[in-house]
Amino acid sequence: QELKKNNIKIISSGGTFEQIKRLKFKCLEISDFTNFNEILDGRVKTLHPKIHGGILNKRSKKSHLKDMKKNNFENIDLVIANFYPFEKTLELKKDHSKILENIDIGGPTMVRAAAKNYNDVTVITALDQYSELIGELKKNKGCTTLRFREKMSRIAFGETAYYDAVISNYLNNY
């Protein structure tokens, strides 16, 4: 509701897109946003210059603004990503190829990009951060503070490091 109230455009993929639509909120499917369909059985959907340019561009840097305009890209100021549940997959599956398919690539990539560019982008990586985000949006008229973005960036890099450590541990013990 808070995103809608602040006219925040939502772009999503897969199951999240379907869930947002079921909740009767406007949402643009990522392939419609990028004008590029998912490929390789869904392995490639968010790995696109329009996505990463929107996240990584420095809003105050003239050459970045020029590139964004030249390519007709939009800023992406908020990234909310829930990674494929790799740890849960390890508990439920024994087939190595199925386990590998549950390694999230696009989610952590977007999270790392957003966390790197915390001066301009907010990154959310867990459900328990939603209420704090909503509080920030309410308090700051649809925006977040630099302090909040820095905090979320630190948490996000910890999250991606942990995720990669779990994958590394699995592969080293496979």
Side-chain angles (χ1 to χ4, degrees):
Q1 290 292 350
E2 197 62 30
L3 299 178
K4 184 178 180 179
K5 179 179 157 192
N6 286 289
N7 295 316
I8 295 172
K9 181 177 172 180
I10 302 173
I11 305 162
S12 187
S13 64
T16 305
F17 172 79
E18 294 301 328
Q19 185 66 27
I20 292 168
K21 295 302 279 182
R22 266 194 295 281
L23 294 170
K24 308 276 191 242
F25 288 99
K26 284 176 89 176
C27 185
L28 185 61
E29 180 121 44
I30 205 142
S31 57
D32 291 331
F33 179 74
T34 61
N35 292 316
F36 195 88
N37 290 329
E38 289 183 16
I39 59 170
L40 308 177
D41 301 320
R43 281 181 154 208
V44 178
K45 50 189 164 242
T46 60
L47 301 170
H48 191 281
K50 192 169 186 179
I51 300 296
H52 291 281
I55 296 169
L56 283 166
N57 80 87
K58 292 182 177 182
R59 306 326 191 242
S60 61
K61 192 167 184 178
K62 285 184 181 181
S63 64
H64 287 205
L65 295 173
K66 185 178 172 186
D67 282 344
M68 293 293 287
K69 187 173 183 169
K70 176 182 162 192
N71 289 289
N72 198 29
F73 288 177
E74 300 175 48
N75 290 337
I76 296 175
D77 299 323
L78 173 62
V79 172
I80 301 175
N82 301 306
F83 303 161
Y84 295 167
F86 187 75
E87 275 184 299
K88 191 165 212 65
T89 298
L90 293 177
E91 294 169 14
L92 301 173
K93 298 192 185 304
K94 299 297 173 222
D95 181 323
H96 180 67
S97 63
K98 285 188 167 71
I99 290 170
L100 289 179
E101 288 309 311
N102 280 278
I103 295 174
D104 195 327
I105 302 300
T109 303
M110 289 188 299
V111 164
R112 289 176 56 83
K116 175 180 180 173
N117 202 23
Y118 68 81
N119 277 309
D120 296 308
V121 181
T122 304
V123 61
I124 301 295
T125 56
L127 290 172
D128 64 3
Q129 298 167 352
Y130 288 14
S131 60
E132 195 173 355
L133 171 65
I134 290 167
E136 276 284 305
L137 294 172
K138 284 181 178 178
K139 192 168 45 176
N140 300 292
K141 298 180 177 131
C143 297
T144 59
T145 62
L146 178 60
R147 184 176 176 174
F148 178 74
R149 293 191 304 273
E150 285 175 318
K151 175 184 170 186
M152 293 297 107
S153 173
R154 286 191 301 274
I155 293 168
F157 277 118
E159 183 77 20
T160 59
Y162 177 76
Y163 192 76
D164 286 340
V166 171
I167 295 166
S168 177
N169 186 54
Y170 166 72
L171 292 173
N172 283 317
N173 292 301
Y174 164 70

